[in-house]
Amino acid sequence: SSSPSSSPSSSPSSSLLSALKSACLRETSEELGPGLPPQKPWSSLPVIGYCDWVPAITPVAVYPVVTYGGFINVEEGRGAFNKTKCEGEVKEVFFSSIENIVGGYSRRVREKNRVPIKMPQFNVEECEVEIWGLTGIILEGFLDRILLKNLEEIEEAPK
């Protein structure tokens, strides 16, 4: 969530970033279980970036925190997460490559409270998954702010 000292145009303070990370780790644990398989707690993962805040339907703002867990075995991960996920909040855990997710990107008009809104949508055909709404907005922010920024830095690095 956002605080009075942080707005979309300003950088959050270090104390706010620490609070955001703690909130993110707590939410991730509640939704997906204690950590990445095998036995890698969420708190051990390094933060690689923070996305811009995203207004949610509820009267709060979501401030995505991006961590890096390294490479995991897909079958091991799928089995572990689908056993520990919170049924009330997480419909399904799926794995896909960034290429497949980005390849299914479009912006579509959806209705929210009878108001047409153009929002990001990702069709991940290999998993028969459609990502849109708040999750789609967060994913689009991650791709734009974190992934593409880092790809540009890698391409610009001296060879």
Side-chain angles (χ1 to χ4, degrees):
S1 61
S2 186
S3 76
S5 64
S6 173
S7 68
S9 61
S10 67
S11 296
S13 67
S14 61
S15 62
L16 178 58
L17 292 178
S18 177
L20 291 172
K21 181 180 178 186
S22 294
C24 181
L25 294 172
R26 184 183 65 251
E27 285 294 313
T28 302
S29 293
E30 288 173 8
E31 293 178 8
L32 294 177
L36 286 174
Q39 302 173 347
K40 188 187 255 185
W42 299 114
S43 59
S44 70
L45 304 181
V47 171
I48 61 169
Y50 297 86
C51 294
D52 288 332
W53 69 275
V54 179
I57 295 171
T58 59
V60 298
V62 176
Y63 217 136
V65 176
V66 181
T67 62
Y68 179 70
F71 293 97
I72 63 171
N73 177 289
V74 171
E75 292 307 315
E76 185 179 321
R78 183 179 291 121
F81 286 131
N82 281 311
K83 287 179 191 169
T84 61
K85 70 183 173 76
C86 175
E87 293 295 329
E89 295 194 41
V90 178
K91 180 179 177 183
E92 176 184 8
V93 176
F94 71 93
F95 291 81
S96 182
S97 68
I98 294 291
E99 292 85 2
N100 286 336
I101 292 171
V102 171
Y105 172 78
S106 64
R107 291 190 66 80
R108 301 242 170 106
V109 175
R110 295 275 189 160
E111 252 187 46
K112 285 286 191 190
N113 301 323
R114 298 186 208 176
V115 176
I117 300 173
K118 195 169 193 176
M119 64 175 59
Q121 178 172 313
F122 299 84
N123 291 314
V124 187
E125 292 181 13
E126 68 176 327
C127 304
E128 298 179 7
V129 172
E130 183 179 82
I131 304 167
W132 64 284
L134 181 60
T135 305
I137 293 168
I138 291 169
L139 180 57
E140 182 183 55
F142 160 74
L143 293 170
D144 184 50
R145 183 172 174 127
I146 307 295
L147 186 64
L148 292 178
K149 177 184 171 215
N150 288 323
L151 287 177
E152 288 170 6
E153 288 176 8
I154 290 168
E155 290 172 358
E156 293 172 3
K159 307 258 187 252

